[in-house]
Amino acid sequence: MTHDYIIPSHVREIVRSMAEQGHRLSGTPVPHLAGDRFYWPKFEDHLRQIERFSGTLDDKTILEIGCGVGAFLLFVAKQRAIKKAWGIEPPGALGPYGGSYDAARLLMEANHVAEVEITQGRGESLPYPDASIDIVFSSNVLEHVENPERVMNEAWRVLAPGGILQMVVPNYASWWEGHYGVMWLPILNKRFGRWYLRLLGRDPYALADLQLIRPGFFLRWERSRPDRSQRDLQRISMGEEIFAERLQRFDSDYANLARLKRLLLLARRLRLQSTIARCMNVCRMYTPIVYTARKMVS
């Protein structure tokens, strides 16, 4: 599958600035990190994991919370006959995500994508009506927000009956920290995490703003969400089966997974993938969490 999309030079400059910030954390070369923002196989996988639970996105509406520079929504709009898509990014974002809102708008304009609307806002207060969107999706964003519970509440509020909510987030009960690209100890809190990162020669500044989300977070949210009904939410998956499948066919070139890929290729040569997957799934150490739930029709 080819992807002949226009990526304006200003968007590339913003992406490179983000990559330079990411290089400080992981040490991954800047060109690799910049290329990861437009790594189309990643978006093909995102789309496949949404549609395995929702069916085709043709004639549906979709919201991406934390759409970054908009590359995934551009991919979706080009690959599916969606009815409408929204992407939301914080206004005036600082740090490694500064400029992403402007970049996303420019990317849609350059590719003449009218069905995607980029909105300024935060996940804690979504500017969309109740029960208005068929698919609510987010990838590697929930760990960066100020209040993950409020983001989940808002995502559920705007989701239409029969719709699918899918949140992809690193699992801090697992063995891998993707922002730094290092092995991780599941028991670490932020205090000991800072010491650990310093021992590895890494600057732990970014850890202060990360939410160390584990599978239990979603189970607690299900029990405590406002106006909850035991019958209005069907949890479909936490991502265990996706994790097992990826161990079997790991072929990703994601920028920060280079070290991990070597370990997984060794496990494949030793034919240990299935055993590793079963053990880690039992211990809830799969990563990432791919929390997927359907809002039931009352």
Side-chain angles (χ1 to χ4, degrees), residues 5 36-48 64 70-73 75-76 254:
Y5 303 148
D36 200 48
R37 295 282 174 171
F38 298 102
Y39 184 54
W40 305 114
K42 174 172 65 176
F43 303 143
E44 291 170 0
D45 184 63
H46 284 337
L47 182 58
R48 181 166 56 250
E64 183 179 10
F72 175 62
L73 290 181
F75 175 83
V76 170
Y254 294 3

Coordinates of all heavy atoms in Angstrom, one line a residue, residues 5 36-48 64 70-73 75-76 254:
Y5 N 1.1 11.3 0.3 CA 0.5 12.4 1.0 C 1.5 13.6 1.0 O 2.7 13.4 1.0 CB 0.1 12.0 2.4 CG -0.8 10.9 2.5 CD1 -0.7 10.0 3.6 CD2 -1.8 10.6 1.6 CE1 -1.6 8.9 3.8 CE2 -2.6 9.5 1.7 CZ -2.5 8.7 2.8 OH -3.3 7.6 2.9
D36 N 9.0 8.5 12.5 CA 8.0 7.7 13.2 C 6.6 8.4 13.2 O 5.6 7.8 13.3 CB 8.4 7.4 14.6 CG 7.7 6.3 15.3 OD1 7.6 5.2 14.6 OD2 7.2 6.4 16.4
R37 N 6.6 9.8 13.1 CA 5.4 10.5 13.1 C 4.6 10.3 11.8 O 3.4 10.5 11.8 CB 5.7 12.0 13.2 CG 6.3 12.4 14.5 CD 5.3 12.5 15.6 NE 5.9 12.8 16.9 CZ 5.2 13.1 18.0 NH1 3.8 13.1 17.9 NH2 5.8 13.3 19.1
F38 N 5.2 9.8 10.8 CA 4.5 9.5 9.5 C 4.8 8.0 9.1 O 5.0 7.7 7.9 CB 5.0 10.4 8.4 CG 4.6 11.9 8.7 CD1 5.6 12.7 9.2 CD2 3.3 12.3 8.6 CE1 5.3 14.0 9.5 CE2 3.0 13.6 8.9 CZ 4.0 14.5 9.4
Y39 N 4.9 7.1 10.1 CA 5.2 5.7 9.8 C 3.8 5.0 9.5 O 3.1 4.6 10.4 CB 5.8 5.1 11.1 CG 6.3 3.7 10.9 CD1 7.1 3.3 9.8 CD2 5.9 2.7 11.8 CE1 7.5 2.0 9.6 CE2 6.3 1.4 11.6 CZ 7.1 1.0 10.5 OH 7.5 -0.3 10.4
W40 N 3.5 4.9 8.3 CA 2.2 4.5 7.9 C 1.8 3.1 8.3 O 0.6 2.8 8.6 CB 2.0 4.6 6.3 CG 2.3 6.0 5.9 CD1 3.3 6.4 5.1 CD2 1.6 7.2 6.2 NE1 3.3 7.8 4.9 CE2 2.3 8.3 5.6 CE3 0.5 7.5 7.0 CZ2 1.9 9.6 5.7 CZ3 0.1 8.8 7.1 CH2 0.7 9.9 6.5
P41 N 2.7 2.1 8.4 CA 2.4 0.8 9.0 C 1.8 0.9 10.4 O 1.0 0.1 10.8 CB 3.7 0.0 8.9 CG 4.4 0.6 7.8 CD 4.1 2.1 7.8
K42 N 2.3 1.9 11.2 CA 1.7 2.1 12.5 C 0.2 2.5 12.4 O -0.6 2.0 13.2 CB 2.5 3.1 13.2 CG 1.9 3.5 14.6 CD 2.8 4.5 15.4 CE 3.0 5.8 14.7 NZ 3.9 6.7 15.5
F43 N -0.1 3.3 11.5 CA -1.5 3.8 11.3 C -2.4 2.6 10.8 O -3.5 2.5 11.1 CB -1.6 5.0 10.4 CG -0.7 6.1 10.9 CD1 0.0 7.0 10.1 CD2 -0.6 6.4 12.3 CE1 0.7 8.0 10.5 CE2 0.2 7.4 12.8 CZ 0.8 8.2 11.9
E44 N -1.8 1.8 9.9 CA -2.5 0.6 9.4 C -2.9 -0.3 10.6 O -4.0 -0.8 10.7 CB -1.7 -0.1 8.4 CG -1.5 0.6 7.1 CD -0.5 0.0 6.1 OE1 0.1 -1.1 6.5 OE2 -0.3 0.5 5.0
D45 N -1.9 -0.4 11.5 CA -2.2 -1.3 12.7 C -3.2 -0.7 13.6 O -4.1 -1.3 14.1 CB -0.9 -1.5 13.5 CG -1.1 -2.5 14.6 OD1 -1.4 -3.6 14.4 OD2 -0.9 -2.0 15.8
H46 N -3.2 0.7 13.8 CA -4.2 1.4 14.6 C -5.6 1.1 14.0 O -6.5 0.8 14.7 CB -3.9 2.9 14.6 CG -2.8 3.3 15.6 ND1 -2.4 2.5 16.6 CD2 -2.1 4.4 15.6 CE1 -1.4 3.2 17.2 NE2 -1.2 4.3 16.6
L47 N -5.7 1.3 12.7 CA -7.0 1.1 12.0 C -7.4 -0.3 12.1 O -8.6 -0.5 12.4 CB -6.8 1.6 10.6 CG -8.1 1.5 9.7 CD1 -9.2 2.4 10.3 CD2 -7.8 1.9 8.3
R48 N -6.5 -1.2 12.0 CA -6.9 -2.7 12.1 C -7.4 -3.0 13.5 O -8.4 -3.7 13.6 CB -5.7 -3.5 11.7 CG -6.0 -5.0 11.8 CD -4.9 -5.8 11.1 NE -3.6 -5.5 11.7 CZ -2.6 -4.9 11.1 NH1 -2.8 -4.4 9.8 NH2 -1.4 -4.7 11.6
E64 N -10.3 11.6 17.6 CA -9.0 11.2 18.1 C -8.6 12.2 19.2 O -8.4 13.4 18.9 CB -7.9 11.1 17.1 CG -6.6 10.6 17.7 CD -5.4 10.5 16.7 OE1 -5.6 10.9 15.6 OE2 -4.4 9.9 17.1
G70 N -1.8 15.2 13.3 CA -3.0 14.8 12.5 C -2.7 13.7 11.5 O -3.6 13.4 10.7
A71 N -1.5 13.0 11.6 CA -1.2 12.0 10.5 C -2.1 10.8 10.5 O -2.5 10.3 9.4 CB 0.3 11.6 10.7
F72 N -2.5 10.4 11.7 CA -3.4 9.2 11.7 C -4.8 9.5 11.1 O -5.3 8.8 10.3 CB -3.6 8.6 13.1 CG -4.6 7.5 13.2 CD1 -4.4 6.3 12.5 CD2 -5.8 7.7 14.0 CE1 -5.3 5.3 12.6 CE2 -6.7 6.6 14.0 CZ -6.5 5.4 13.3
L73 N -5.3 10.7 11.4 CA -6.6 11.1 10.9 C -6.5 11.3 9.4 O -7.5 11.0 8.6 CB -7.2 12.3 11.6 CG -7.6 12.1 13.0 CD1 -8.1 13.4 13.6 CD2 -8.7 11.0 13.1
F75 N -4.6 9.6 7.4 CA -4.5 8.2 6.9 C -5.9 7.7 6.9 O -6.4 7.1 5.9 CB -3.6 7.4 7.8 CG -3.6 5.9 7.4 CD1 -2.8 5.4 6.4 CD2 -4.4 5.0 8.1 CE1 -2.8 4.1 6.1 CE2 -4.5 3.7 7.8 CZ -3.6 3.2 6.8
V76 N -6.7 7.8 7.9 CA -8.1 7.3 8.0 C -8.9 7.9 6.9 O -9.7 7.2 6.2 CB -8.7 7.5 9.4 CG1 -10.2 7.2 9.4 CG2 -7.9 6.6 10.4
Y254 N 9.1 0.9 14.8 CA 8.9 2.1 15.6 C 10.2 2.5 16.1 O 11.0 1.7 16.6 CB 7.9 1.8 16.7 CG 6.5 1.4 16.3 CD1 6.1 1.3 15.0 CD2 5.6 1.2 17.3 CE1 4.8 1.0 14.7 CE2 4.2 0.9 17.0 CZ 3.9 0.8 15.7 OH 2.6 0.4 15.4

